[in-house]
Amino acid sequence: MTLAQPYYAARVLGLPDVPVAVREDAGRIALDSARAPHLTGSVVLSVPDPILLDDLDPRDARRLVLDVYPESHLEPVYTPWVEQRRNRALNPRATNTTGWLSNQVTTNPSIRGVTPPIAHPLGIATAVEQRSTGTNSALVTLYNLDSLANTGTPARAIGAWVLVTEPGYRAYGVDLPANAWMFIRATAIIAAGAYSSFFVNRVSGSSSTTVRAYVTGAVVETGVTAVGEPFDGGTDPSGVLSRTRWLGAANASASVMETRTQTGWEQVPDGSPRSFDLGIREATPTRESATVTLQLASDEAVLDDYAQLADDKGPRAHQASLRGVVNYVLGKIGAALQPGPTDADVTAYWQVVNQITNPRLALDAVGWQTGSGASSGGRVVMNTPLPPVGNTAYRWTASAGESNVVPVTSRYRVTPGKWYVFFAYICSGTARQARAAIQWWSAGGSVASSTALGALVNSDVTAFRQVAVIAKCPPGAEEAVPYVSTLANAAGNLHYATMSMLYEGDELVEYFDGATPDTARYEYEFQAAAHNSTSTRTPTVERPPAALTWRAGVSGLQFLAPLVQASGFRLVCDERRRWTLRDASYRETGTQTFRERVNITQASEQLSRSAEDWFDGIVLAYTWTDDDGIEQTMYDTYAIPGATKIIRREIRAPYPGPGRAQYAVTRAQGRGRTVTATKQADWTEHAEQTFSALLDGTPIQIGTADRVEFDIGANTVTTTSRTTDTPPSAWVLIPAGDSWLDSPVGESWTEEAI
């Protein structure tokens, strides 16, 4: 019997998995392309044993797998098979000579069937088939059944003969015509306590007649008072309510007769299931009805649960690839993206101001001066070695001991609590240890605290090497003096320094000044006179480094969302726990077709400019607290020409660069109707499949399934899509696999069945 209804099976994953029963009168599974988690749902389980609730505790990160078979059928339910009889004869139909002994006496032939020794009450039934091959008639006599002792010595059976005559059997003792057949069934009950391992049939005839005796259908049973019909394992092996079977090899083992009864029907699945592997987010027991309602979600919820206790800058190492950043984060929960080409560069680009006004002495030595331990200095043009940029440097002559050079005529303004970087490139006439340093000063003109010292570097006589220091401005400091220091000099040692930078930040950047050529990512300029003013690096697309710092307490999903969406993607985990990056062009395989009076059970339309998901312009305001504890705000905006509805959304996250606003507006431009339609579920429906609907009084509606919701109790699917009016001749309605050339010249394909 086939049912037009699905079959639901569920199990809680564990070691081992725990099967659970789904109540089919309630529950839902929803897929939404605009939400994270992508899948949510609820099911009601029958939980007759309260102990099972321990397996459903969401605090233990338990998971439920729901298998949905779109169709099912009914099969009968039976009680277990129950043995009714057992035939101990090992070869009861004598299919070969195994287990049978023959006496070759002509006038009194006998055949003995061998059974295992039995010291219990026995009931023995045999059928004897006898045929005369002589020309004269003969009288055939069936002798008593013999019981033999274990030693093989014959002993008469204890018990009387019972001769049975039935239709099809010849009577006992009749004259048998030549070449005729006679079937005689004889039975005997052997009293309790007798020991028997053989049964014997004897037949006699006249001396002038050749008599052949055939024995078959032997039954040896214990614990009986009457002998039933002969049987063995092949009598009825495939019966429904009764059957026989061999206990071992056919025709070489005992056999049994068994029966069972039908108690009802059970639902059995057909085909392959669609499986939903979802995390249990909430469990609500109802003990009166022995049920529990589970709220379920796909693994975006797991990623949204995961956060770290300390800031993590690890994503920066993968910034050239959004996939790399995503996989770094997913790796924390043991997941990874499916292979695919979808990717984007999310490298951090941000503005930097170089406070050194003459960083590489391109024109003169203005701003550079010797410090302590230096006797003289000035600008030189380098021949060899050459610095990484240009061929000019500041040369100074060291005194014995430590010797310093300062690329500043006055101190620079700084802010307590902020981080600063100073670096320069140095080479030496005689190799010495060198380092960069920042000396902090108070507003009163005195040194405020200990000087920040960079790591020691061995200077080189054939190449320029970088010396750098990264330090946080201490409380009370308002000015800073950066300098380059060489150690353990001998008087007269020469050193060369160039390409210096002092800027606000906490990481090294590539050297630049206002004369650095512009790139696709950065523009460079002097704030005033070239090589005599501060320099600015301005990104063409700004993405602060903070956008790639995973802050303590921020979930993995919250951290990734701005980066993913600014790149025009969505991060989705499906019901099989497969993670993908999807752009606006992504489509699931398959289509959903809804037709009025064909498969639609309910439908509605809406045209509204008040809906939250419709707009043609947006302002995204990103607000975050930077490393210095200062709140920053940046905007990402986009609107189509002639926009009439611009909305604003606040996002608490570092600015990830532009792109998300345009992506949001583009996705909101399903300008036609919002169609919601319901039909019987095929359980092949997905969000982001192509959607078409033909409703009474409206043009054909084409769109993408934005939300798909299955009703488990009603076995229906409801799909919502923002659609556009589509004329019947539109090319998008050409059936899949067809082309314009498939229609005959002069005819329209729109007249064909779609």
Side-chain angles (χ1 to χ4, degrees):
M1 179 177 180
T2 301
L3 299 178
Q5 68 180 54
Y7 177 88
Y8 303 99
R11 63 189 186 277
V12 179
L13 297 184
L15 294 174
D17 295 349
V18 179
V20 290
V22 178
R23 287 276 298 270
E24 299 182 13
D25 56 353
R28 66 174 185 85
I29 297 291
L31 301 89
D32 197 318
S33 64
R35 298 286 185 267
H38 177 61
L39 280 91
T40 56
S42 64
V43 295
V44 180
L45 305 181
S46 297
V47 186
D49 186 352
I51 295 178
L52 286 177
L53 293 175
D54 294 338
D55 296 317
L56 303 173
D57 194 331
R59 295 171 298 180
D60 296 332
R62 305 309 295 264
R63 305 190 64 83
L64 180 84
V65 174
L66 175 65
D67 294 325
V68 181
Y69 296 81
E71 293 186 355
S72 62
H73 65 276
L74 291 180
E75 288 187 355
V77 178
Y78 300 101
T79 60
W81 289 101
V82 177
E83 181 178 325
Q84 302 297 330
R85 298 175 61 193
R86 177 171 297 208
N87 185 357
R88 297 177 179 272
L90 304 184
N91 187 11
R93 283 184 293 147
T95 57
N96 52 52
T97 59
T98 301
W100 294 86
L101 303 177
S102 176
N103 183 341
Q104 299 301 320
V105 178
T106 301
T107 57
N108 292 291
S110 67
I111 299 176
R112 301 179 180 181
V114 182
T115 63
I118 302 170
H120 300 284
L122 299 181
I124 300 176
T126 65
V128 180
E129 173 190 305
Q130 303 177 70
R131 179 182 181 186
S132 170
T133 58
T135 57
N136 300 320
S137 63
L139 180 64
V140 180
T141 303
L142 180 66
Y143 278 69
N144 259 5
L145 187 70
D146 281 356
S147 174
L148 305 183
N150 195 33
T151 59
T153 302
R156 289 295 178 183
I158 306 173
W161 280 104
V162 178
L163 302 180
V164 179
T165 301
E166 297 180 3
Y169 289 83
R170 295 297 296 271
Y172 166 71
V174 300
D175 194 29
L176 185 65
N179 299 314
W181 290 87
M182 178 176 66
F183 296 94
I184 301 175
R185 176 181 298 170
T187 65
I189 301 298
I190 299 178
Y195 187 93
S196 175
S197 60
F198 299 92
F199 54 87
V200 180
N201 283 295
R202 293 177 178 171
V203 62
S204 65
S206 65
S207 60
S208 63
T209 303
T210 300
V211 178
R212 299 173 185 267
Y214 304 87
V215 179
T216 187
V219 176
V220 178
E221 292 184 88
T222 62
V224 296
T225 58
V227 180
E229 291 291 325
F231 78 93
D232 59 31
T235 301
D236 185 18
S238 59
V240 175
L241 297 178
S242 64
R243 71 177 182 184
T244 60
R245 64 184 178 92
W246 300 100
L247 295 180
N251 302 303
S253 64
S255 52
V256 294
M257 178 181 292
E258 299 171 320
T259 61
R260 63 179 179 178
T261 59
Q262 182 179 339
T263 59
W265 297 87
E266 68 176 353
Q267 192 178 356
V268 179
D270 288 335
S272 300
R274 181 172 177 183
S275 297
F276 297 88
D277 184 347
L278 304 174
I280 299 175
R281 306 298 299 173
E282 180 181 303
T284 305
T286 304
R287 300 185 185 278
E288 293 80 4
S289 59
T291 62
V292 60
T293 301
L294 301 181
Q295 301 299 323
L296 309 169
S298 52
D299 279 7
E300 294 96 337
V302 176
L303 189 61
D304 201 32
D305 285 341
Y306 184 85
Q308 301 189 102
L309 298 177
D311 288 355
D312 182 359
K313 294 187 177 182
R316 278 290 297 281
H318 308 279
Q319 62 183 354
S321 167
L322 176 62
R323 296 182 66 85
V325 174
V326 171
N327 278 328
Y328 176 84
V329 175
L330 290 180
K332 302 295 185 179
I333 62 169
L337 287 170
Q338 294 293 301
T342 307
D343 205 355
D345 186 342
V346 291
T347 300
Y349 300 102
W350 69 101
Q351 186 181 71
V352 174
V353 177
N354 184 4
Q355 297 295 328
I356 307 298
T357 56
N358 186 15
R360 59 183 175 90
L361 302 97
L363 303 177
D364 50 41
V366 173
W368 288 78
Q369 57 185 320
T370 56
S372 61
S375 58
S376 63
R379 176 181 180 271
V380 295
V381 176
M382 306 293 294
N383 292 317
T384 182
L386 292 174
V389 177
N391 62 348
T392 53
Y394 187 83
R395 181 181 67 187
W396 79 99
T397 303
S399 302
E402 183 174 357
S403 179
N404 304 325
V405 62
V406 183
V408 58
T409 55
S410 62
R411 295 185 290 271
Y412 295 104
R413 298 289 299 177
V414 292
T415 302
K418 289 191 174 183
W419 288 81
Y420 292 88
V421 178
F422 170 64
F423 70 77
Y425 284 80
I426 184 174
C427 73
S428 302
T430 302
R432 291 288 183 260
Q433 284 191 319
R435 64 188 174 195
I438 300 176
Q439 191 176 65
W440 308 108
W441 289 67
S442 67
S446 59
V447 176
S449 65
S450 300
T451 299
L453 301 175
L456 289 170
V457 174
N458 292 322
S459 67
D460 200 301
V461 298
T462 61
F464 278 82
R465 292 187 173 179
Q466 186 185 62
V467 290
V469 59
I470 302 174
K472 189 175 186 179
C473 181
E478 296 187 14
E479 296 178 321
V481 175
Y483 64 91
V484 176
S485 177
T486 58
L487 306 178
N489 288 285
N493 287 162
L494 293 177
H495 302 287
Y496 305 84
T498 188
M499 295 171 53
S500 63
M501 291 187 67
L502 174 68
Y503 57 91
E504 183 181 320
D506 63 356
E507 61 181 271
L508 292 171
V509 301
E510 290 186 8
Y511 170 82
F512 73 86
D513 58 41
T516 300
D518 292 344
T519 67
R521 295 300 188 183
Y522 286 114
E523 297 175 350
Y524 303 91
E525 63 179 347
F526 286 106
Q527 297 301 104
H531 303 291
N532 195 25
S533 64
T534 58
S535 306
T536 301
R537 182 188 79 175
T538 303
T540 56
V541 175
E542 185 166 8
R543 184 179 295 110
L548 289 157
T549 299
W550 189 356
R551 298 295 185 188
V554 174
S555 77
L557 190 66
Q558 290 175 309
F559 166 68
L560 287 175
L563 291 169
V564 170
Q565 294 170 359
S567 301
F569 302 124
R570 290 170 296 113
L571 179 61
V572 176
C573 184
D574 66 13
E575 68 256 33
R576 295 170 63 184
R577 306 185 74 183
R578 299 176 302 185
W579 290 86
T580 53
L581 283 173
R582 302 178 180 180
D583 60 15
S585 65
Y586 178 85
R587 293 293 179 273
E588 280 280 1
T589 302
T591 60
Q592 298 184 42
T593 302
F594 290 79
R595 296 292 184 265
E596 197 79 66
R597 293 190 299 275
V598 176
N599 63 354
I600 292 178
T601 59
Q602 185 176 352
S604 64
E605 306 170 67
Q606 183 186 54
L607 296 110
S608 173
R609 66 178 289 116
S610 300
E612 292 184 0
D613 57 358
W614 186 88
F615 48 85
D616 48 17
I618 193 170
V619 175
L620 300 177
Y622 290 88
T623 303
W624 75 100
T625 302
D626 65 17
D627 291 336
D628 301 318
I630 299 173
E631 188 170 274
Q632 304 284 349
T633 300
M634 295 185 70
Y635 299 95
D636 181 16
T637 64
Y638 185 80
I640 64 173
T644 60
K645 182 182 177 182
I646 297 176
I647 66 172
R648 175 186 172 101
R649 289 182 178 167
E650 305 285 342
I651 301 174
R652 189 70 189 179
Y655 181 64
R660 181 177 178 181
Q662 180 177 357
Y663 176 73
V665 171
T666 300
R667 282 185 59 83
Q669 295 313 293
R671 285 186 170 274
R673 297 168 172 80
T674 297
V675 175
T676 301
T678 301
K679 66 180 181 68
Q680 184 176 3
D682 295 328
W683 291 96
T684 59
E685 295 85 0
H686 291 264
E688 299 175 278
Q689 286 177 326
T690 299
F691 171 93
S692 69
L694 182 57
L695 309 177
D696 287 343
T698 66
I700 295 175
Q701 300 297 302
I702 299 295
T704 302
D706 298 312
R707 179 179 174 85
V708 172
E709 182 167 338
F710 296 100
D711 186 319
I712 292 176
N715 188 32
T716 59
V717 60
T718 300
T719 300
T720 300
S721 173
R722 291 192 300 273
T723 61
T724 55
D725 296 349
T726 308
S729 59
W731 64 269
V732 295
L733 295 179
I734 297 178
D738 290 353
S739 72
W740 291 105
L741 300 178
D742 294 331
S743 294
V745 176
E747 295 185 12
S748 170
W749 68 266
T750 60
E751 298 175 358
E752 302 170 5
I754 299 178

